[in-house]
């Protein structure tokens, strides 16, 4: 156990680490086993099972890997600054991308003429999954670090991934030997494994208590403060946190409810010199010294912008966010 668990476990980590690790291990086993079956389908699609020219098969394989890696780089450049804001969401996005890639690979034998296209898109999904999982894993590991032992937790997580991947490969090889290469048997087996992968990934995120604040956690904290007059503990906030429901609700209601943009740029919130002067007067005279809420702009564009001056402290940012949340709630109540 010393090989896969942090030194001093369980006292050296925060509560929930054991549950997280167990479900994460199960998730990796399922995904690795499904990967064996999808790779088998890819090999048949590329023609290695029907006497294809080895050089052409190898070239197609290299092309799909190269295009997949390029797609992963583009994805990372587009969302690299958003991973820390909601690591649980991106961890689930990672799992969904991996399983979607597995599904594409399983379909490739039906379209051998489009092998490069299908395999390249599937490989893009795998690279997106790898990048999203790697980026979000840091914040999750940090949530469990208790004794300045983030490096130890991260290192042991690597060992856990290797062991679970080997176990999953063994399971996949055994299942491949049982179900053979018949697609009608391979596809249902892979579907069950993918379902197990998604379920295990979701379960492993439930005990994770993130100490940081994003839009959802800020809303939960301020709702609790208004209702009870007290700030809830991180564990209480985590118990009411959802992975998909909040961002989905925010997306569907984006044209009905004012959105809240914290740390907005001046060009986003200001359209006229009058608004800029009014904002500056507020920022230099308000109780909150280094933040301003542009409520007139919010009425115009159904969006509440919180602008922060350079040098604003964490306490000032939180107080400004509290004010912006109150403005948005007032706008909602006014209809």
């Amino acid at each position: 156990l010393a090989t896969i668990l942090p030194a001093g476990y369980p006292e050296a980590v925060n509560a929930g680490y054991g549950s997280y690790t167990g479900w994460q291990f199960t998730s990796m086993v399922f995904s690795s086993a499904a990967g064996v079956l999808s790779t088998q389908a890819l090999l048949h699609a590329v023609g290695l099972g029907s006497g294809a020219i080895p050089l052409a098969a190898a070239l197609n394989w290299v092309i799909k890997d190269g295009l997949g890696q390029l797609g992963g780089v583009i994805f990372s450049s587009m969302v690299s600054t958003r991973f820390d804001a909601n690591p649980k969401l991106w961890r689930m996005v990672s799992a969904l991308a991996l399983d979607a890639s597995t599904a594409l690979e399983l379909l490739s034998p039906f379209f051998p003429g489009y092998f490069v296209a299908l395999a390249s898109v599937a490989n893009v999904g795998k690279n997106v999954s790898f990048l999203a999982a790697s980026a979000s894993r840091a914040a999750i590991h940090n949530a469990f670090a208790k004794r300045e032992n983030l490096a130890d937790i991260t290192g042991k997580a690597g060992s856990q991934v290797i062991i679970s991947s080997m176990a999953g490969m063994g399971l996949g090889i055994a299942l491949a030997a049982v179900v053979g290469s018949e697609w009608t048997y391979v596809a249902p087996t892979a579907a069950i494994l993918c379902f197990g992968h998604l379920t295990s990934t979701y379960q492993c995120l439930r005990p994770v208590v993130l100490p940081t604040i994003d839009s959802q956690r800020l809303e939960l904290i301020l709702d609790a403060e208004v209702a009870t007059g007290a700030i809830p503990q991180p564990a209480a906030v985590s118990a009411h946190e959802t992975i998909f429901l909040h961002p989905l609700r925010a997306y569907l209601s984006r044209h009905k409810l004012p959105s809240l943009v914290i740390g907005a740029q001046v060009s986003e919130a200001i359209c006229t010199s009058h608004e800029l002067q009014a904002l500056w007067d507020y920022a230099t005279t308000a109780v909150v010294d280094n933040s301003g809420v542009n409520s007139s702009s919010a009425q115009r564009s159904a969006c509440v912008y919180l602008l922060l001056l350079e040098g604003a402290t964490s306490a000032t940012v939180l107080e400004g966010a509290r004010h912006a949340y109150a403005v948005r709630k007032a706008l909602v109540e006014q209809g």
Side-chain angles (χ1 to χ4, degrees), residues 276-330:
L276 181 60
Q277 183 61 48
L279 179 65
W280 178 255
D281 292 341
Y282 177 86
T284 54
T285 59
V287 175
V288 183
D289 295 330
N290 292 67
S291 67
V293 179
N294 189 352
S295 59
S296 62
S297 179
Q299 293 172 336
R300 181 190 71 244
S301 60
C303 189
V304 179
Y305 297 98
L306 174 63
L307 283 76
L308 303 167
L309 292 179
E310 185 177 356
T313 64
S314 297
T316 298
V317 174
L318 289 175
E319 187 65 18
R322 186 172 182 269
H323 289 181
Y325 175 82
V327 170
R328 187 182 69 165
K329 190 169 184 180

Side-chain angles (χ1 to χ4, degrees), residues 11 27 69 82 120 146 200 216 280 283 287 307:
E11 291 80 10
S27 169
Q69 291 169 0
R82 306 177 201 170
S120 296
K146 193 175 181 179
S200 301
Q216 179 181 188
W280 178 255
V287 175
L307 283 76

Side-chain angles (χ1 to χ4, degrees), residues 131-224:
L131 291 168
S134 300
S136 59
R137 196 176 290 126
I140 294 173
H141 290 166
N142 188 54
F144 289 116
K146 193 175 181 179
R147 298 178 180 174
E148 304 272 335
N149 58 345
L150 178 59
D152 187 25
I153 292 175
T154 303
K156 296 303 170 56
S159 299
Q160 295 161 13
V161 168
I162 292 172
I163 295 174
S164 59
S165 295
M166 292 174 62
M169 288 174 61
L171 175 62
I173 292 171
L175 288 173
V178 172
V179 301
S181 59
E182 186 64 36
W183 195 87
T184 53
Y185 296 115
V186 172
T189 304
I192 293 172
L193 293 172
C194 288
F195 177 78
H197 172 230
L198 288 175
T199 303
S200 301
T201 301
Y202 179 81
Q203 290 294 333
C204 84
L205 295 174
R206 293 186 64 185
V208 178
V209 178
L210 296 170
T212 55
I213 297 177
D214 64 358
S215 60
Q216 179 181 188
R217 288 189 283 278
L218 174 65
E219 188 172 330
L220 291 171
I221 290 170
L222 295 178
D223 279 341

Side-chain angles (χ1 to χ4, degrees), residues 247-266:
L248 179 62
R249 186 171 62 241
Y251 177 79
L252 294 177
S253 62
R254 66 191 185 282
H255 298 306
K256 301 177 183 178
L257 299 177
S259 57
L260 177 59
V261 181
I262 298 176
Q265 297 181 359
V266 174

